[in-house]
Amino acid sequence: MLEATNRQIAALALSLMDLTDLTDDCTPEAIERLCACARIRHGHTAAICIWPRFVAQARAILGPNNAVKIATVANFPSGELAVDTVVEETSRAIGDGADEIDLVIPYRALMAGDEQAVRGMISAVRRVCPAPVLIKAILETGELRDRDLIRSASHIAIQEGADFLKTSTGKVAVNATLEAADIMLTCIRESGRKVGFKAAGGVRTIGDARMYLNLAATIHSPDWPMPSTFRFGASGLLDILSVLEDREPVAGATAY
């Protein structure tokens, strides 16, 4: 990654992106635009990430077996819903056509010392996610803060069958950080399992993307970041299009 050009990083970042709209005022029209933005002449994003209520609409737009996966959220953003409620919303989303479930772990329970709450939540959702549906466990690392807590959450999520570790909901003050990513990527390596990593919130530019990709390449290998193992969550295309089209980046890029 260190030797990659900005254009190469942009093309890779596009293929690794979960293009996201989890705004409170999201509309069906916004979902139509999101689906269109996920498929551009330079390629397509790995997925879109949307509220459960829009999954059926997105599936109708994208059609079956589309290269762009549909991710949705569960236990989001608080991480404090009852297990039965989360299982029900997960099952409904899968029935509507979701390919991936971004599940917020009960991180406040973990902070209070209740590891079993996290294990119970992930394992219950795992049981209703038939292959090839993926679970991305959202750790909310900016709230956990403590390195040992982030390590513990990472190892628990991997042990209970999460397919990805995801940093954040994007709804708190501190979201993705390189420090948290370092811990999570190291835990994945230590596990010896095929588990992916997703940085969500705060990744706004090609430069930001490069730093996370370099970190993953250092801890794992240069060819490790691919859609099955690495994702970015963002509500815009960063400055990907400007790099791919050799024009000035648009100011005010947003991040999820």
Side-chain angles (χ1 to χ4, degrees):
M1 299 299 167
L2 290 173
E3 303 301 323
T5 65
N6 280 347
R7 181 182 289 274
Q8 289 170 324
I9 292 294
L12 179 58
L14 175 65
S15 74
L16 302 176
M17 183 176 293
D18 287 3
L19 188 60
T20 300
D21 191 336
L22 292 170
T23 54
D24 293 337
D25 58 353
C26 183
T27 63
E29 292 74 23
I31 296 301
E32 290 182 16
R33 292 192 295 271
L34 194 76
C35 290
C37 288
R39 300 174 291 183
I40 59 176
R41 64 186 180 90
H42 300 285
H44 61 80
T45 65
I48 58 170
C49 187
I50 56 179
W51 291 108
R53 64 183 180 272
F54 296 116
V55 168
Q57 177 195 355
R59 177 54 67 205
I61 294 170
L62 295 173
N65 304 314
N66 197 287
V68 178
K69 302 303 181 185
I70 298 174
T72 193
V73 290
N75 203 22
F76 189 93
S78 71
E80 296 186 323
L81 298 178
V83 171
D84 288 349
T85 300
V86 178
V87 166
E88 181 181 352
E89 68 178 351
T90 299
S91 297
R92 186 182 310 115
I94 294 170
D96 285 344
D99 300 297
E100 303 174 359
I101 304 297
D102 287 27
L103 169 70
V104 183
I105 69 167
Y107 62 90
R108 290 188 181 90
L110 181 63
M111 293 167 69
D114 187 359
E115 289 188 5
Q116 188 53 46
V118 181
R119 293 188 183 278
M121 178 65 74
I122 298 173
S123 63
V125 172
R126 177 79 277 170
R127 287 193 292 270
V128 297
C129 289
V133 176
L134 301 180
I135 295 176
K136 305 193 200 87
I138 304 175
L139 309 187
E140 202 68 292
T141 55
E143 294 294 286
L144 293 179
R145 298 189 184 128
D146 182 81
R147 292 181 62 88
D148 289 339
L149 271 179
I150 296 171
R151 282 184 58 82
S152 178
S154 297
H155 283 303
I156 290 170
I158 292 169
Q159 290 163 8
E160 296 302 329
D163 300 291
F164 273 74
L165 302 181
K166 177 177 171 180
T167 58
S168 328
T169 60
K171 300 290 189 180
V172 295
V174 177
N175 293 290
T177 66
L178 288 169
E179 181 182 17
D182 190 348
I183 297 167
M184 296 161 72
L185 287 162
T186 299
C187 289
I188 291 169
R189 185 187 65 192
E190 291 170 348
S191 75
R193 300 182 183 179
K194 184 181 178 181
V195 176
F197 167 78
K198 178 176 173 180
V203 183
R204 292 182 171 83
T205 68
I206 294 300
D208 293 336
R210 183 187 291 274
M211 289 190 292
Y212 282 95
L213 289 168
N214 282 338
L215 181 63
T218 299
I219 293 173
H220 291 274
S221 67
D223 60 352
W224 190 78
M226 61 182 71
S228 62
T229 56
F230 192 103
R231 302 284 182 87
F232 292 112
S235 56
L237 290 175
L238 309 176
D239 50 357
I240 286 172
L241 289 179
S242 61
V243 171
L244 292 175
E245 297 176 357
D246 295 316
R247 54 184 172 80
E248 289 297 314
V250 177
T254 58
Y256 154 63

